[in-house]
Amino acid sequence: MTASFSAPGKAILFGEHAVVYGQPAIAVPLPQLRARALIRPLDSPLKIIAEGAPGRRGIQDPLQKMAEITQQQLGLPRLNGEITIQSQIPIASGLGSGAAVSAAIGRAAAALAGTTIRDEVLNSLVYEIEKLHHGKPSGIDNSVIVFERPLYFRTGYQPEFLRINAPLRLLVADSGVAALTRDAVAHVQRLLQRQPDFAREALQRIGNLVESARRCLEAGEQARLGQLMCENHALLRALGLSSPALDVLVAAALAGGALGAKLSGAGMGGNIIALTPAAAAVDVEQRLMRAGAVTVISASIGGEQRQA
Ligand code: MEV
């Protein structure tokens, strides 16, 4: 018998990096893009198999560690069986692959022992694993992925779930360049040491944008939301977190009629997101592909879906 447990990818709409320094940020789950963990109860000690994810080398330890800390936290007996990971989320692309795999493993490990894990508990365990991937995570990735709801997040506070009234149509375009969150976060840390006034002001301005974006999301003001995305991209770019490939994708999306576009996640590679009205979706997608996107995924955000 096998059963499957999963968690979604995520996109940060506003506030990446600034959120590491106490500013708020807004993130949404990408339910169409999932990491799944299939369980097979056996009498042998737990084995975790990562399938079909090129470049996933070296990630075995965090996978084992996630199962181990789930077992310890829930006071479970030794885990027996197999967990097979199948992830549709590209790694090192800002879409939360690591946190989604951890969340799926936590759910699967609990199920192997015949129990379930509460989201609050799972969230704190996934956060522990996030710390292994990159030193100083804000906690936004694990929160949006575990709760699978759009959220307004600030480190040290309970995440606030956002009600998105007018559904958002996002195109998520992959530059095909892998970039580690750890490196991008370290870059901002260095900038804060070398140019503290400039970096602090940029991070504060990003925080201010997040507050405006929250109001627009709740009021369904998508045109203004798009402008705020462009402003957020410009600030991330000024902080040295964009790349020529990402800038070209943002420009292509805007030329095709997107209301706004920005890099999403840690940057320096990975993905951009474009807020794209339905009427412009085909044109924007084609332009993104011509501009060098490796893949373009369409996501509709709003309403509260959750898959098994
Ligand atoms: C990465 O998805 C988002 C960052 O803000 C890092 C973090 O919040 O831990 C760059």
Side-chain angles (χ1 to χ4, degrees):
M1 184 209 75
T2 57
S4 159
F5 301 85
S6 75
K10 66 97 189 41
I12 297 194
L13 288 189
F14 293 94
E16 49 275 268
H17 288 287
V19 69
V20 174
Y21 297 95
Q23 298 293 336
I26 294 172
V28 295
L30 297 174
Q32 301 86 338
L33 215 54
R34 303 191 79 78
R36 293 182 196 282
L38 280 65
I39 59 169
R40 195 160 154 234
L42 296 169
D43 284 337
S44 47
L46 179 67
K47 189 170 163 205
I48 301 184
I49 303 159
E51 260 185 11
R56 201 170 274 286
R57 267 175 304 139
I59 202 174
Q60 199 65 22
D61 282 345
L63 303 187
Q64 289 288 353
K65 181 91 184 147
M66 182 64 206
E68 246 171 67
I69 63 174
T70 304
Q71 178 200 4
Q72 286 159 8
Q73 175 71 35
L74 298 182
L76 304 174
R78 193 185 76 160
L79 294 174
N80 285 332
E82 249 173 37
I83 297 179
T84 302
I85 305 297
Q86 296 171 345
S87 179
Q88 305 164 314
I89 311 168
I91 60 169
S93 68
L95 299 181
S97 150
V101 167
S102 296
I105 289 181
R107 290 183 173 132
L112 264 183
T115 186
T116 56
I117 182 165
R118 284 192 307 115
D119 283 349
E120 287 73 14
V121 176
L122 181 62
N123 192 28
S124 65
L125 298 183
V126 176
Y127 181 67
E128 289 306 309
I129 303 299
E130 286 290 280
K131 286 196 219 161
L132 301 179
H133 286 293
H134 47 97
K136 197 191 168 200
S138 64
I140 191 170
D141 290 8
N142 45 286
S143 300
V144 67
I145 281 167
V146 168
F147 294 111
E148 202 165 341
R149 305 258 302 266
L151 48 88
Y152 170 94
F153 179 91
R154 192 166 199 159
T155 302
Y157 297 85
Q158 282 292 103
E160 291 178 48
F161 299 121
L162 292 176
R163 191 160 288 284
I164 296 180
N165 289 324
L168 299 178
R169 299 174 63 94
L170 291 182
L171 291 178
V172 183
D174 191 347
S175 68
V177 180
L180 291 177
T181 300
R182 189 195 304 126
D183 295 342
V185 170
H187 166 82
V188 176
Q189 216 166 16
R190 277 194 303 276
L191 202 65
L192 274 162
Q193 282 157 8
R194 289 181 194 154
Q195 294 174 259
D197 292 345
F198 163 73
R200 270 197 228 116
E201 194 195 323
L203 296 172
Q204 178 64 54
R205 285 175 64 191
I206 291 176
N208 297 344
L209 283 180
V210 174
E211 300 297 354
S212 306
R214 177 184 186 156
R215 287 191 289 276
C216 289
L217 271 174
E218 287 171 344
E221 289 170 11
Q222 297 211 359
R224 175 76 187 125
L225 202 64
Q227 285 166 7
L228 293 170
M229 286 171 75
C230 293
E231 287 172 33
N232 196 161
H233 182 75
L235 286 164
L236 290 166
R237 188 168 184 272
L239 287 166
L241 292 160
S242 192
S243 70
L246 292 171
D247 289 340
V248 164
L249 291 177
V250 164
L254 296 174
L259 298 174
K262 65 181 275 292
L263 73 83
S264 179
M268 294 182 150
N271 282 264
I272 66 122
I273 53 173
L275 181 63
T276 308
V282 172
D283 193 20
V284 173
E285 181 170 351
Q286 283 171 356
R287 283 173 188 259
L288 286 168
M289 293 304 287
R290 280 202 300 273
V294 177
T295 56
V296 179
I297 294 159
S298 168
S300 178
I301 316 292
E304 284 143 24
Q305 324 94 309
R306 182 151 173 171
Q307 297 180 19

